[in-house]
Amino acid sequence: MRDEQQARPILGIETQNDDVRLGVLNKRMSRDAVEAAFRAIGQYRGRVGLDINIVFGLPPLEGVEAVAEAVATACFGLELAARHGVPVDFNFHPYYPSRIGREHFPAHPRADLAAALEAAALIKETILRSRHPSRVFIGWQDEDHDQETSARHAELARYRELFHRFNVARKLV
């Protein structure tokens, strides 16, 4: 790799909440395992960074609980990044019902995108307060897994420009 390049594996922790990550999502990734990944990457002294996936509105979280959990997940990542000297960015994805999600959580709604934008803005503020050179990116690429395509198209028509503005200019207005 050239000096200005940095390897950046993606760590799909989705949430810092152990009950949700381990019990609901069955991720098999304990807090100790997440920290071990940061510790191992920290040995590369900035030549390797991490991108952390945060999924907003995962079952069973909705509304203010989902906002608080997304911010707590970013704080968890920032804390580990600071502790182990790892550059970290966040990929923020609103929850949508996939085939598996619909099977396991049929009553859980897709993420409220207004609340998701609020959470992304709060994560951005948290990053700025931490003084860590991290960024948050709102992703809405579903790889054709979203089972509610008409709802998805309607949401994208309404929110695509806001997502783009946030990702490019880091502003919501």
Side-chain angles (χ1 to χ4, degrees):
M1 278 190 334
R2 294 188 309 264
D3 286 343
E4 70 276 9
Q5 292 179 315
Q6 183 182 70
R8 296 193 70 90
I10 297 172
L11 188 59
I13 66 169
E14 327 304 14
T15 176
Q16 62 85 41
N17 182 311
D18 287 335
D19 293 334
V20 175
R21 190 179 61 261
L22 299 170
V24 176
L25 300 178
N26 196 26
K27 291 294 278 190
R28 298 184 184 148
M29 193 180 335
S30 69
R31 290 176 89 80
D32 288 343
V34 173
E35 183 154 15
F38 272 87
R39 188 178 314 108
I41 288 172
Q43 294 175 6
Y44 292 93
R45 305 182 196 280
R47 293 284 297 146
V48 178
L50 267 178
D51 288 347
I52 301 230
N53 285 350
I54 299 173
V55 179
F56 176 80
L58 284 165
L61 305 169
E62 297 180 52
V64 295
E65 286 181 325
V67 172
E69 180 54 33
V71 173
T73 301
C75 289
F76 177 59
L78 289 167
E79 176 187 309
L80 292 176
R83 185 179 308 155
H84 298 288
V86 174
V88 67
D89 288 331
F90 301 95
N91 297 319
F92 180 84
H93 301 280
Y95 174 81
Y96 54 82
S98 65
R99 183 186 53 77
I100 293 171
R102 194 177 254 173
E103 270 178 34
H104 294 279
F105 315 104
H108 190 75
R110 59 192 308 107
D112 172 350
L113 295 189
L117 284 168
E118 175 188 344
L122 289 170
I123 290 170
K124 177 188 165 195
E125 289 175 20
T126 300
I127 290 168
L128 290 172
R129 280 194 312 274
S130 78
R131 300 182 191 265
H132 199 278
S134 297
R135 295 174 297 170
V136 60
F137 170 82
I138 300 174
W140 195 243
Q141 298 74 28
D142 75 330
E143 300 170 350
D144 291 327
H145 294 293
D146 193 333
Q147 297 294 294
E148 298 174 351
T149 54
S150 60
R152 176 182 173 70
H153 292 304
E155 289 172 343
L156 282 176
R158 182 171 181 198
Y159 287 96
R160 182 185 326 259
E161 181 57 36
L162 285 172
F163 286 176
H164 179 72
R165 193 175 314 135
F166 184 88
N167 287 338
V168 173
R170 306 284 179 231
K171 295 180 182 175
L172 290 175
V173 291

